[in-house]
Amino acid sequence: MSEKMTEKTYRIEGLSCTNCAGKFEKNVKQLPGVTSATVNFGASKISVEGQTTIEELEEAGAFENLIIRDDQENDEQVRSDEQVRSKESFIKRNIALIISLGFILVAVISQLSLGEDHLLTKALYILAIIIGGFDLFKEGFSDLIKLDFSMESLMTIAIIGAAFIGEWAEGSIVVILFAISEALERFSMDKARQSIRSLMDIAPKEALIRRNNVEQLVSVDKIDIDDIMIIKPGQKIAMDGLVINGHSSVNQAAITGESVPVEKQLDDEVFAGTLNEEGVLEVKVTKKVTDTTIAKIIHLVEEAQGERAPAQAFVDKFAKYYTPFIIIMALLIVVVPPLFFGGDWNKWLYQGLSILVVGCPCSLVISTPVSIVSAIGNAAKNGVLVKGGVYLEEIGHLRAIAFDKTGTLTKGKPVVTDFIATSSETDINYLSIISSLESLSQHPLASAILNEADKTNVDYKSIQIEDFQSITGKGLTGIHQNIRYYIGSPKLFSASVIEETAVKVQYRQFQEQGKTAMYFGTDEQILGVIAVADEVRDSSAAVISELHKLSIEHTIMLTGDNTKTAESIGKQLGVTEIKGDLMPQEKLDSIKALRTTYNKVAMVGDGINDAPALAASTVGIAMGGAGTDTALETADVALMGDDLQKLPFIVRLSRQTLKVIKQNITFSLGIKLLALLLVIPGWLTLWIAIVADMGATLLVTLNGLRLMKVK
């Protein structure tokens, strides 16, 4: 029997460019015992299927001096090692650059005093090239042997060519500036990745646990499900769990992006990484440290960073043909003018070498990933989980957005909105009888009436109800003090009683407003009318208005609730179209129809009841992803808190990301085209070429990092 292949994930330190990532992945795949390997450049991780060791992986990444670490290492140890290694690696990685730079400075002094052609000047420049470019040449020659025309191979040809025609000074400057450019790429990607890695520091690494009536500090990886965790005021919560004792307000901004603390009491859920602000809480742990909401967010975001966006796929495909094109063009520039127009070989060889340098696709290949990683990291920090670059891009192209009603545009919890009694002197007494009847019912609306009674301090528990009956489709009835009372639809009462009531007009008004209205009375008369409705979220109307301002052409409410209620709420909110009385299949059909008309359509729902519609939309957006595994798994985007205001934010962020990517690609290609045009009058130099390449890389990187600051 064949043994099942094991898959293991490792962290990579020092991965600076997508080209290096591809090369490292290829090298790892060639290791004995490895059947498959996938590098996630955004998260700086590699997943390896098969058998290998960290030493073998580091050998495969020796061309970039990569440091490999087991992804399951203890976080404390990882951070400690990173601090030590970062100091060591800074010196190790840059010692050759520093020495080479020193030789160039001495060479410049020698050139000024002894002349450019002096043996000492040339020797100093040659030493600078050899020392500063050793790793570059080693990888460049290796790639040339394999006919792999990478950035290293292009630079190697250019520097050797510069040496061949005696341009020692410019050859050494190319080496130094290329090394600086690589360091800048590494720094920028590390900074973008840090936006996600910083999430790992949110949750404490130990917690105060009570076991056998003894309180002790326990490391989170040794805390078990059902352990009791004690969280004091001002402390961060280390694990997900349920409150079993205490009352407090908890700042959940790290998970949901909510700026206002949330009240927590008995049976409420709390999340690792959130801050307990006031009272002492006792929490029963419900998830292991690897399964907490914050752990899932980090895992899903790192996976998302590895998903290639359409723009990235375009750049990768373009670069595949672009590099050979640059090589052929450089060759033609070197050969054609001297052969056919009597040009000087040295001059046109120099121009060809400059084309190789300026044509290096560094800025082009870094332009998209740095933007995607920055944007996804920013979204996660603001309580929006985007599960891939493809979805981040698609949001920016949306033309229509469909909303579920209950729990999305509304709070999903019915409340009493109105209670009108025929006699104001007896309304409290009537509400106590109604509440007592409802306390014996299992109807969903009963909880709304009982909550209203509790809120207004109405005593209903002392009311004695006899001969209670629940009449299906009509309502409730029971006897109190020898009088039979009814609460429910008009079907419970005779037509004559309904006709004579003074509150009939109000009953109709409540129905027209989309509320569920119920009569309360006896066999002889109507005593009052009570209305219950699902409250609209305070932010819903503003969000719909904001989306329309963002040029979303069509907003539609899709709900299983009755059409009259849907129309009432939809008109309040200003949605373009309203559809009620829908079954799940009908919601799905509506999404398909919208896609036919508008092409790019999002569905916003709770991630459970709306699963088919979420799956059929271009982008499925789930509300309240925090603590909801289904929402995190089924949706393409999860709004971690029940806050619709995150929706315009992610639309703006997506559009800004698309704008930045287009700017980066345009600028990267534009500056190269401009430099290439300098070949026509013969003005292109190696200095201009490398400065253009490094300048483009720096500018597209800084432009991409701006996405971390979008509010």
Side-chain angles (χ1 to χ4, degrees):
M1 290 177 67
S2 62
E3 208 177 283
K4 187 181 177 183
M5 282 293 175
T6 57
E7 185 173 326
K8 199 166 184 180
T9 302
Y10 301 86
R11 287 197 173 276
I12 313 166
E13 280 184 37
L15 196 60
S16 62
C17 66
T18 52
N19 185 52
C20 307
K23 195 174 295 182
F24 178 53
E25 183 180 290
K26 187 177 177 182
N27 290 350
V28 172
K29 284 178 179 176
Q30 292 172 350
L31 291 175
V34 173
T35 56
S36 178
T38 305
V39 169
N40 179 334
F41 175 64
S44 200
K45 287 185 173 184
I46 183 168
S47 298
V48 181
E49 193 175 281
Q51 300 297 324
T52 188
T53 64
I54 286 177
E55 290 73 21
E56 287 176 324
L57 292 173
E58 289 189 338
E59 181 62 30
F63 66 92
E64 185 80 345
N65 296 319
L66 301 180
I67 297 170
I68 311 299
R69 173 181 287 113
D70 192 326
D71 194 35
Q72 299 302 315
E73 274 187 46
N74 177 274
D75 284 343
E76 287 292 325
Q77 188 61 44
V78 166
R79 269 191 294 277
S80 173
D81 287 352
E82 276 182 351
Q83 288 171 357
V84 173
R85 288 190 180 185
S86 64
K87 291 174 185 175
E88 291 177 354
S89 61
F90 178 81
I91 296 167
K92 283 183 180 178
R93 277 191 189 141
N94 295 289
I95 190 68
L97 175 61
I98 293 165
I99 293 171
S100 182
L101 192 57
F103 276 119
I104 288 174
L105 290 173
V106 176
V108 169
I109 295 168
S110 174
Q111 183 174 333
L112 292 172
S113 57
L114 301 175
E116 188 178 350
D117 294 327
H118 195 277
L119 185 61
L120 178 61
T121 305
K122 288 183 180 179
L124 289 168
Y125 279 130
I126 291 168
L127 282 171
I129 291 171
I130 293 170
I131 294 170
F134 181 76
D135 288 336
L136 168 65
F137 297 145
K138 186 171 70 173
E139 191 58 31
F141 282 125
S142 173
D143 289 345
L144 283 171
I145 291 167
K146 300 172 190 172
L147 295 179
D148 179 6
F149 297 108
S150 63
M151 287 181 277
E152 288 81 3
S153 60
L154 293 184
M155 286 296 176
T156 300
I157 295 169
I159 294 162
I160 291 170
F164 181 76
I165 59 175
E167 295 290 347
W168 302 106
E170 295 199 27
S172 64
I173 293 297
V174 168
V175 167
I176 290 296
L177 291 181
F178 183 73
I180 292 171
S181 178
E182 291 277 278
L184 285 171
E185 282 188 43
R186 188 180 296 112
F187 169 78
S188 63
M189 282 309 301
D190 283 345
K191 190 167 180 61
R193 290 172 186 135
Q194 191 59 37
S195 65
I196 296 306
R197 289 185 185 171
S198 62
L199 291 173
M200 298 176 188
D201 298 324
I202 289 173
K205 301 309 165 194
E206 55 183 15
L208 187 62
I209 299 293
R210 184 192 297 136
R211 289 176 180 166
N212 302 319
N213 292 321
V214 177
E215 293 182 6
Q216 54 187 309
L217 279 173
V218 179
S219 174
V220 289
D221 53 1
K222 293 178 182 174
I223 295 175
D224 296 321
I225 291 173
D226 293 336
D227 272 343
I228 305 302
M229 184 168 52
I230 315 296
I231 305 112
K232 296 175 182 176
Q235 289 185 337
K236 281 190 174 180
I237 299 169
M239 306 285 283
D240 285 12
L242 291 175
V243 176
I244 59 170
N245 193 19
H247 179 274
S248 183
S249 61
V250 173
N251 187 326
Q252 299 188 153
I255 302 292
T256 64
E258 297 167 283
S259 56
V260 180
V262 179
E263 292 296 313
K264 298 291 181 180
Q265 50 195 353
L266 190 66
D267 292 334
D268 282 346
E269 191 172 18
V270 295
F271 308 113
T274 57
L275 178 66
N276 180 28
E277 295 200 335
E278 294 174 355
V280 176
L281 291 176
E282 291 186 17
V283 173
K284 183 170 76 171
V285 176
T286 55
K287 293 178 182 176
K288 299 283 280 183
V289 67
T290 51
D291 297 323
T292 60
T293 300
I294 189 71
K296 284 185 177 178
I297 290 172
I298 293 166
H299 174 69
L300 288 169
V301 170
E302 288 190 329
E303 280 191 341
Q305 290 176 327
E307 291 287 330
R308 294 197 171 192
Q312 179 64 39
F314 161 75
V315 167
D316 290 347
K317 189 174 182 180
F318 182 83
K320 185 179 177 183
Y321 299 102
Y322 167 82
T323 307
F325 168 77
I326 288 293
I327 292 171
I328 293 167
M329 185 177 177
L331 187 62
L332 291 173
I333 289 293
V334 171
V335 173
V336 172
L339 281 182
F340 297 101
F341 302 103
D344 179 66
W345 280 99
N346 271 9
K347 176 188 174 182
W348 290 103
L349 176 59
Y350 181 84
Q351 293 291 299
L353 297 175
S354 300
I355 284 176
L356 286 180
V357 173
V358 81
C360 185
C362 298
S363 58
L364 186 64
V365 295
I366 198 73
S367 62
T368 303
V370 73
S371 304
I372 295 292
V373 170
S374 297
I376 288 176
N378 183 11
K381 282 193 166 185
N382 282 284
V384 183
L385 179 59
V386 184
K387 291 171 69 175
V390 61
Y391 306 117
L392 186 68
E393 283 198 29
E394 291 286 22
I395 291 168
H397 296 303
L398 290 176
R399 293 177 59 204
I401 300 180
F403 297 87
D404 175 42
K405 179 182 77 69
T406 307
T408 300
L409 294 171
T410 66
K411 294 178 180 177
K413 294 179 180 178
V415 294
V416 173
T417 57
D418 306 271
F419 176 53
I420 299 172
T422 51
S423 170
S424 59
E425 296 175 4
T426 56
D427 57 352
I428 297 297
N429 183 44
Y430 289 165
L431 188 56
S432 65
I433 295 170
I434 292 169
S435 301
S436 185
L437 282 166
E438 293 290 353
S439 68
L440 302 171
S441 166
Q442 300 298 316
H443 196 277
L445 298 180
S447 59
I449 294 171
L450 295 178
N451 286 338
E452 179 67 17
D454 290 336
K455 191 166 69 176
T456 53
N457 296 316
V458 170
D459 176 25
Y460 61 89
K461 293 179 182 176
S462 61
I463 301 291
Q464 297 295 317
I465 299 293
E466 298 172 355
D467 193 27
F468 170 80
Q469 296 174 45
S470 176
I471 304 169
T472 305
K474 294 183 179 181
L476 311 173
T477 181
I479 297 173
H480 172 61
Q481 294 181 348
N482 298 319
I483 300 173
R484 178 169 289 281
Y485 292 96
Y486 300 87
I487 172 83
S489 74
K491 296 175 185 176
L492 278 171
F493 305 90
S494 67
S496 58
V497 170
I498 296 291
E499 196 61 38
E500 290 177 9
T501 179
V503 291
K504 184 169 64 174
V505 174
Q506 283 89 346
Y507 180 90
R508 286 176 181 167
Q509 285 177 345
F510 294 151
Q511 281 194 312
E512 287 167 4
Q513 291 167 5
K515 299 173 182 177
T516 301
M518 294 170 281
Y519 280 126
F520 169 67
T522 63
D523 289 314
E524 288 80 27
Q525 62 179 324
I526 298 295
L527 302 174
V529 62
I530 190 166
V532 176
D534 185 3
E535 273 191 307
V536 173
R537 291 181 187 273
D538 297 334
S539 60
S540 293
V543 167
I544 298 296
S545 174
E546 182 71 16
L547 290 172
H548 287 156
K549 287 176 184 175
L550 288 169
S551 302
I552 298 295
E553 298 171 35
H554 195 83
T555 54
I556 180 171
M557 178 199 291
L558 304 176
T559 179
D561 208 343
N562 71 76
T563 302
K564 188 170 281 189
T565 301
E567 285 178 350
S568 172
I569 291 173
K571 285 172 184 175
Q572 287 180 51
L573 301 179
V575 294
T576 316
E577 187 181 357
I578 302 151
K579 287 188 177 182
D581 293 313
L582 297 179
M583 299 297 287
Q585 179 61 45
E586 291 171 314
K587 283 189 181 184
L588 177 61
D589 293 340
S590 295
I591 292 294
K592 288 178 178 177
L594 284 168
R595 289 202 67 172
T596 302
T597 307
Y598 295 99
N599 191 23
K600 304 292 184 182
V601 178
M603 172 70 192
V604 187
D606 60 14
I608 303 169
N609 301 330
D610 302 306
L614 285 167
S617 59
T618 311
V619 182
I621 303 172
M623 287 286 291
T628 311
D629 290 345
T630 310
L632 290 175
E633 287 165 11
T634 60
D636 306 316
V637 176
L639 308 182
M640 299 307 291
D642 280 337
D643 186 3
L644 265 181
Q645 292 179 88
K646 304 293 180 190
L647 195 52
F649 158 70
I650 194 61
V651 171
R652 282 196 303 272
L653 178 62
S654 173
R655 290 182 179 176
Q656 186 66 19
T657 304
L658 289 171
K659 187 177 175 183
V660 165
I661 289 171
K662 286 175 184 175
Q663 287 171 351
N664 282 353
I665 293 172
T666 303
F667 179 77
S668 178
L669 293 175
I671 201 164
K672 290 180 186 303
L673 180 61
L674 187 63
L676 290 173
L677 289 175
L678 295 178
V679 171
I680 297 169
W683 295 346
L684 184 62
T685 67
L686 283 171
W687 291 77
I688 293 173
I690 192 65
V691 169
D693 180 63
M694 190 180 78
T697 300
L698 180 60
L699 285 171
V700 301
T701 299
L702 292 174
N703 198 30
L705 290 176
R706 282 195 307 121
L707 293 166
M708 295 170 68
K709 304 296 181 184
V710 175
K711 300 295 183 185

